[in-house]
Amino acid sequence: MVNSKEEKLWNSNYLKVLTCNFLLFFAFYLLTPLLPIYLDAQFNADKDMIGLVLSGYVVATLLVRPFSGFIVDSFNRRKVLTLCFFVFFIIFAGYIGAGTLLMFAIVRTVHGIPFGASTVANSTVAIDVLPSSRRNEGIGFYGLSNNLAMAIAPSTGIWIYSISNNFALLFWISLIIALVGFMFTMWIKIPQREIVANKPVLSLDHFFLTKAWLMAINISLFGLCWGVMGNYVAIYGQEMLNITDGTGLFFMILSAGLMSARIFGRKQLKSGKITQSCTAGVILSCIGYALFGFSMYLGAWSYYLSALFVGLGNGQMYPSFLNMFIQVARHDQRGTANSSILISWDLGMGLGILLGGFIAQYTGYAAAFLMVAGVQIAGALMFILFTASFFTKRKLHN
């Protein structure tokens, strides 16, 4: 029997990695819901141009992540993480100095490179510092730190802007938060690992986990839904529901849903019931996105209730998918597995930002969010009918 002290989940290095991950996403997503408003007010950009500018970072992220997985599997992971996080921190200064729409678009796009690389490196380090017997549970909480930051940070940014009316202040706060995250990366200690020799010189599995192709398509659909909601929820609330101060509350409810899902869903992951946890998550998310899509007809109660269901759903779904990607990968492919799920999620988010801006420009935000509800339902059916059994047939025990 393994000594329980040796199998401690909340060890100091795991807590440091969780903190790094939270601060990484918090600094980045503090700005997310306000950037459409900033681009409109500062540069008079129209809706489809806003979508194009905001999706630039996704393109850069997608380009760098396959190579990031290979690099973190081949070199010292902590050093890779520290370097990538440092560049991520520095680029926040570019938002402050960007005086034209073109300069802002360049900074936003370039920022996707260290963001993409840092997320892959950090999530792979998290797996390294987790005891094997607590890995499912630990990965679940790690996924929660992503989701919580993506939910809490926007509401914080909206609140700060509502009392200061100052975008520059937000850029400075993100810069400082990223600096703190960078400092935490220097304090992490990870166990020594042996670099696997005699790998094929050129293999697609170095850059993307091909065994997980159906899971990748499936989570891309869910990423598309999150991309539309996360980027356009504030401007949707203003234009369609006359909600000017309620977006922060929306994200607070979303955060509560995420937290509740992980607290009550941890037993399923701990006992290995990954597909059951994911099924519950995708169904709850369907309810949430449907309520959101019809909120212009149903009223503000539907808008806020949708946040709870989307939070509950994503809090179950995303950590489950992360576990599934890890479990179909060999132990020497952890970096590739992490980059693969992030590539898939970001590809979906990027398409969501572009499609959301395009549909909103020509048919309105209501049509954009009704489209999202349809995509979420399609993704849920895909998981229940095909992806769950696909994973079961391919999972490894390593």
Side-chain angles (χ1 to χ4, degrees):
M1 180 179 292
V2 179
N3 191 314
S4 61
K5 291 183 179 179
E6 295 176 355
E7 299 298 312
K8 182 180 179 183
L9 174 62
W10 301 102
N11 63 74
S12 62
N13 285 307
Y14 179 60
L15 289 171
K16 291 170 190 173
V17 173
L18 279 182
T19 303
C20 287
N21 192 54
F22 181 84
L23 294 176
L24 175 78
F25 278 86
F26 193 96
F28 199 77
Y29 284 94
L30 184 75
L31 310 174
T32 298
L34 292 164
L35 289 182
I37 298 172
Y38 174 74
L39 294 174
D40 179 36
Q42 188 76 10
F43 304 114
N44 198 29
D46 56 24
K47 293 182 179 69
D48 51 357
M49 179 57 70
I50 290 172
L52 186 62
V53 171
L54 295 183
S55 63
Y57 88 89
V58 181
V59 175
T61 299
L62 287 171
L63 290 174
V64 75
R65 272 189 172 148
F67 302 100
S68 303
F70 175 71
I71 289 169
V72 298
D73 281 339
S74 304
F75 298 98
N76 185 296
R77 286 173 179 164
R78 194 191 70 81
K79 291 181 179 178
V80 171
L81 172 60
T82 301
L83 176 61
C84 293
F85 214 118
F86 176 76
V87 179
F88 171 76
F89 144 65
I90 286 294
I91 292 179
F92 274 107
Y95 293 112
I96 301 167
T100 66
L101 182 61
L102 177 61
M103 281 300 301
F104 188 93
I106 292 171
V107 171
R108 184 66 174 173
T109 300
V110 171
H111 209 180
I113 296 173
F115 176 72
S118 297
T119 51
V120 172
N122 202 68
S123 55
T124 310
V125 168
I127 297 168
D128 285 345
V129 300
L130 280 168
S132 59
S133 66
R134 308 294 296 274
R135 190 170 292 151
N136 285 355
E137 187 183 2
I139 291 172
F141 281 109
Y142 183 86
L144 175 63
S145 68
N146 288 16
N147 295 148
L148 270 180
M150 292 167 71
I152 296 173
S155 61
T156 305
I158 290 165
W159 176 74
I160 292 170
Y161 179 69
S162 69
I163 61 174
S164 67
N165 199 34
N166 189 333
F167 284 106
L169 176 63
L170 286 168
F171 296 145
W172 276 107
I173 291 173
S174 289
L175 179 74
I176 293 168
I177 291 170
L179 172 61
V180 176
F182 163 67
M183 293 171 65
F184 267 93
T185 66
M186 296 188 291
W187 301 330
I188 299 170
K189 295 180 180 179
I190 62 175
Q192 290 291 327
R193 64 188 180 89
E194 184 179 346
I195 303 297
V196 177
N198 302 318
K199 283 187 178 182
V201 175
L202 185 62
S203 170
L204 183 58
D205 263 2
H206 287 342
F207 307 105
F208 191 84
L209 194 65
T210 53
K211 286 179 64 178
W213 65 270
L214 186 61
M215 292 150 52
I217 294 172
N218 207 163
I219 199 169
S220 292
L221 296 177
F222 300 135
L224 185 152
C225 299
W226 188 279
V228 178
M229 186 199 69
N231 283 271
Y232 299 112
V233 61
I235 200 165
Y236 172 80
Q238 284 184 3
E239 293 194 5
M240 306 305 298
L241 299 170
N242 291 322
I243 297 174
T244 56
D245 299 323
T247 310
L249 177 59
F250 178 93
F251 280 107
M252 287 177 63
I253 296 171
L254 184 68
S255 305
L258 289 166
M259 282 287 290
S260 300
R262 279 285 34 87
I263 292 170
F264 295 108
R266 62 181 296 187
K267 288 184 179 179
Q268 282 187 309
L269 289 183
K270 191 174 182 179
S271 61
K273 296 179 180 179
I274 297 173
T275 55
Q276 295 92 324
S277 176
C278 197
T279 299
V282 298
I283 292 172
L284 288 167
S285 291
C286 283
I287 298 170
Y289 282 110
L291 285 170
F292 194 93
F294 286 100
S295 60
M296 69 168 294
Y297 307 107
L298 299 175
W301 69 267
S302 179
Y303 174 83
Y304 290 117
L305 185 59
S306 72
L308 178 63
F309 277 97
V310 171
L312 288 169
N314 276 270
Q316 291 269 88
M317 178 272 296
Y318 189 87
S320 300
F321 261 101
L322 183 54
N323 267 293
M324 286 191 283
F325 271 79
I326 297 301
Q327 289 195 19
V328 301
R330 301 189 309 268
H331 68 89
D332 60 307
Q333 290 181 306
R334 289 173 182 171
T336 304
N338 278 292
S339 69
S340 297
I341 186 174
L342 292 167
I343 288 167
S344 307
W345 180 262
D346 279 346
L347 179 61
M349 280 192 63
L351 290 172
I353 295 169
L354 282 172
L355 279 174
F358 181 81
I359 295 173
Q361 176 71 24
Y362 296 103
T363 60
Y365 284 110
F369 283 106
L370 287 173
M371 177 271 295
V372 164
V375 171
Q376 177 68 34
I377 292 169
L381 290 173
M382 181 180 177
F383 180 81
I384 294 167
L385 297 176
F386 304 108
T387 309
S389 59
F390 176 91
F391 159 70
T392 303
K393 292 174 183 176
R394 286 161 178 79
K395 68 178 179 179
L396 304 173
H397 298 281
N398 55 18

